[in-house]
Amino acid sequence: DWRPSSNCFSLRLATMGISRDSLHKRRATGGRRKLHRKGKKFELGRQSANTKLSSNVAVRKVRVRGGNHKFRALRLDHGNFSWGTEAVTRKTRILDVAYNASNNELVRTQTLVKNAIIQVDATPFKQWYQTHYGVELGNKGKTTEVAPVTGSKHVQRKLKARNQGHKVDPNVADQFNQGRLYACISSRPGQCGRCDGYILEGKELEFYVKKMQKKKAKASS
């Protein structure tokens, strides 16, 4: 008669999956819980996507509970980014991972995760701004000059009205000189297969610029 050997038991341990259960945790009072059942399908976890910044884009479809699907982005190099104060969104290239509050290793390995601070190509936003306001941003330190408008008088009046009292955040305007904008990822690339976010402005931009400068100074010392 067949009996399970010790090798069979070790094989079972080796094939255990990633679990997201809370039965192993202590009670609020500090007491230990007794394991009254085994792991369930709804408690399973999967390996992290660790989405990398790469031009060789790869997104995988994963079947999940209830017959639904998730999209696991393994490599991405573009996304839709919103410029909040101008209420405009453009698809643009991701150039670099600049900062991550949770782990410096994610910056070194160029990993795209939610709330990572990245640098995106400023060209689509620069082109839109020039079309919408008739002003060219990022003249390598020169003052922005109004481009000659070749449209009708109605178009000229419209552009003049748009420029009245309108001002771009100086910190954002400076970034157009380099052709790169700091942005924050607001989507979850490992869950939805997309890397979308928003351009950093105002106090939030100042906060992260200070953090990055502090980190750079610490690394150089």
Side-chain angles (χ1 to χ4, degrees), residues 24-124:
H24 65 281
K25 290 182 173 288
R26 288 176 178 264
R27 295 189 177 94
T29 57
R32 295 285 295 273
R33 286 179 184 167
K34 286 192 175 181
L35 295 176
H36 65 282
R37 63 171 172 80
K38 293 183 178 180
K40 298 289 182 179
K41 174 76 172 175
F42 60 80
E43 292 171 340
L44 69 78
R46 296 182 181 86
Q47 286 183 318
S48 57
N50 292 328
T51 309
K52 303 298 180 190
L53 176 58
S54 170
S55 58
N56 184 20
V57 176
V59 181
R60 299 287 179 263
K61 195 175 180 182
V62 181
R63 187 201 180 273
V64 296
R65 188 171 164 84
N68 298 306
H69 288 92
K70 287 183 180 181
F71 296 92
R72 187 85 74 232
L74 305 178
R75 295 181 295 276
L76 286 176
D77 70 338
H78 63 272
N80 292 333
F81 290 86
S82 172
W83 189 356
T85 53
E86 299 294 341
V88 63
T89 302
R90 287 290 178 271
K91 182 179 178 179
T92 183
R93 288 187 306 124
I94 300 168
L95 303 175
D96 188 27
V97 179
Y99 181 78
N100 195 305
S102 62
N103 194 347
N104 286 335
E105 201 69 4
L106 299 178
V107 179
R108 188 184 67 80
T109 55
Q110 299 282 281
T111 305
L112 302 172
V113 293
K114 185 175 178 177
N115 278 346
I117 305 303
I118 58 175
Q119 285 188 313
V120 298
D121 185 15
T123 307

Side-chain angles (χ1 to χ4, degrees), residues 128-167:
W128 172 84
Y129 197 90
Q130 188 168 355
T131 305
H132 193 71
Y133 290 103
V135 176
E136 187 179 355
L137 287 170
N139 287 331
K140 300 291 182 186
K142 299 176 186 175
T143 55
T144 54
E145 298 175 359
V146 178
V149 180
T150 56
S152 63
K153 288 183 179 179
H154 172 69
V155 172
Q156 291 177 18
R157 285 198 304 272
K158 192 190 288 185
L159 292 176
K160 189 177 179 182
R162 283 175 182 166
N163 281 296
Q164 280 180 353
H166 179 266
K167 206 173 183 182

Side-chain angles (χ1 to χ4, degrees), residues 173-207:
D174 289 342
Q175 291 177 65
F176 277 99
N177 296 330
Q178 301 167 1
R180 293 170 168 232
L181 296 172
Y182 282 119
C184 180
I185 300 173
S186 58
S187 68
R188 301 170 68 193
Q191 303 290 319
C192 64
R194 299 174 63 89
C195 188
D196 300 335
Y198 59 93
I199 304 300
L200 291 178
E201 300 175 88
K203 296 284 185 185
E204 191 177 10
L205 176 59
E206 289 173 18
F207 174 82

